[in-house]
Amino acid sequence: MTNRDSFSGRFGIIAAAAGSAIGLGNIWRFPYVCGQNGGGAFLLLYIVCIVLMGLPVMLAEFGIGRKAQSNAYRAFKILSPQKPWYLIGVMGIVASFTIMSFYSAVGGWTIEYVVRATTNTLSGNHDEMFDTFIAGSYRPIAYQFVFLAISVGVVVIGVRKGIESSTKVLMPALFLLLIILCVRSLTLPGAREGLIFVLKPEFSKLTGNSILAAMGQAFFSLSIGMGCMITYGSYIKRTEDLNYTANVIVIAGTFVAILASIVIFPAAAALNIEVESGGPGLVFKTLPGMFEQMKGGVFFASLFFILLCIAALTSAISLLEVVVTFCVEELKIHRGWATALVATSMFLLGILCSLSLGIMPHLSLFGVNFFNLMDFISADIFLPLGGFFIAVYMGWALKKRITVKELTSGGTVAFSPLRIFYFLIKYIVPVAILIVFISGFWK
Ligand code: PHE
């Protein structure tokens, strides 16, 4: 237990946890889910979910992880022996697999676009380009493999050296680039309409599933509800202020999602791209068109897709890490072998996701293709369900004394919103998740 790897300091933790949180969820998934659910009103719902549920659950996860100094499964066994809470950890491991199956497919797409951007072959009809690419048989899968192989490489090197050092540089660079792209997008002729779409809430545009989608998106984009932040919490030093760390990550993540929307929607409006039906291809169809209209477009396109790819990698790494730490600590498998084994299984499931968008469109369940099904089950069901149990656990099962001690880092830092935190984690989070579930499925 004493030789667990740990993050070196405050910036290291923030960079690594933000690296997990900020990824395809904010830049690829947010704009298209927001587009399907009417724009501004969805953005508002998303922010409400982040504040009321996201922040408290993230804090709870950090607290549990740091207190137990263990993986998500063992953490519950240590803190509450002989109780079935460890099943939260088991569910998180299942969620890692389902998320990674489609996440690695999209990660592979980013590599294809890096190659295209850097070789200046990104021009033409972008709708068609994307559709023929994902419908093709082997290229998406080959790139999916490459994406997973790189993630394996980083995870094998280890937490501190691998994860921390790669995210420290990336995160600030990503912010900067997004801001540059916002400026370009907003100054395109016809961009105004897109900006109105995302900033002006029109509640009539929300559909029956929008609240569930907003909640799922909030959990997904913060990497919470599946033990990822429990695992990262266990690498945080005892003296660090968890509340501060969680706040920075939540604010940064939300900011990136909003920035991404301010890039995508105005650009889509200017280029006449349908955002409501854009689906998973939205970012890949919209942005190349925008880059074409930019001075130095090839340079910016290359930079953007490289950063998107790295942002995806730092999140994929955290997904892998959850399962790998479990295999190393519980099943006593060597780290290298564990990583290879887990990634291979994820790849096999991921192939099905890729094929369901390509040559095997009939690969579907309940009328939904496999890719969308994995996405839906992971983000809209597993993560909020995990969040529900984590909140119930911390609010009702874990002794308050332990929580307070952890959140104040043993009494060394002040945690003034303790009352609000308890109110949210005990009542608001579980009840809200239940209501959203019931309203989402009771139709
Ligand atoms: N939060 C990541 C993203 O936005 C995805 C993720 C979800 C990573 C859950 C880890 C756990 O891309």
Side-chain angles (χ1 to χ4, degrees), residues 297-367:
V298 175
F299 169 75
F300 282 112
S302 310
L303 194 61
F304 175 80
F305 285 112
I306 290 172
L307 285 177
L308 183 61
C309 179
I310 303 176
L313 277 170
T314 54
S315 305
I317 288 160
S318 70
L319 284 161
L320 259 180
E321 181 67 22
V322 171
V323 191
V324 169
T325 336
F326 171 82
C327 293
V328 172
E329 294 181 355
E330 302 306 316
L331 311 177
K332 309 280 176 253
I333 304 177
H334 180 268
R335 194 171 172 91
W337 283 114
T339 316
L341 201 74
V342 172
T344 308
S345 329
M346 288 171 165
F347 180 53
L348 295 178
L349 198 63
I351 290 179
L352 299 181
C353 284
S354 280
L355 291 180
S356 75
L357 294 177
I359 53 173
M360 288 171 76
H362 304 301
L363 205 62
S364 64
L365 267 177
F366 316 117

Side-chain angles (χ1 to χ4, degrees), residues 20-21 23-26 99 103 220-223 226 228 315 318-319:
S20 165
L24 294 171
N26 313 58
I99 296 176
Y103 207 87
F220 187 82
S221 72
L222 293 180
S223 308
M226 44 85 70
C228 187
S315 305
S318 70
L319 284 161

Side-chain angles (χ1 to χ4, degrees), residues 102-169:
F102 68 90
Y103 207 87
S104 56
V106 185
W109 302 350
T110 64
I111 301 183
E112 159 89 7
Y113 275 71
V114 167
V115 174
R116 280 184 176 274
T118 48
T119 53
N120 200 5
T121 47
L122 209 51
S123 46
N125 180 336
H126 301 112
D127 265 22
E128 224 173 81
M129 183 186 291
F130 178 77
D131 292 339
T132 28
F133 164 61
I134 58 162
S137 53
Y138 77 93
R139 267 222 326 276
I141 297 176
Y143 279 128
Q144 185 170 19
F145 179 82
V146 174
F147 180 81
L148 276 164
I150 302 174
S151 319
V152 167
V154 185
V155 171
V156 171
I157 300 171
V159 167
R160 165 110 45 123
K161 276 202 251 118
I163 300 178
E164 190 181 318
S165 49
S166 49
T167 44
K168 265 183 180 169
V169 193

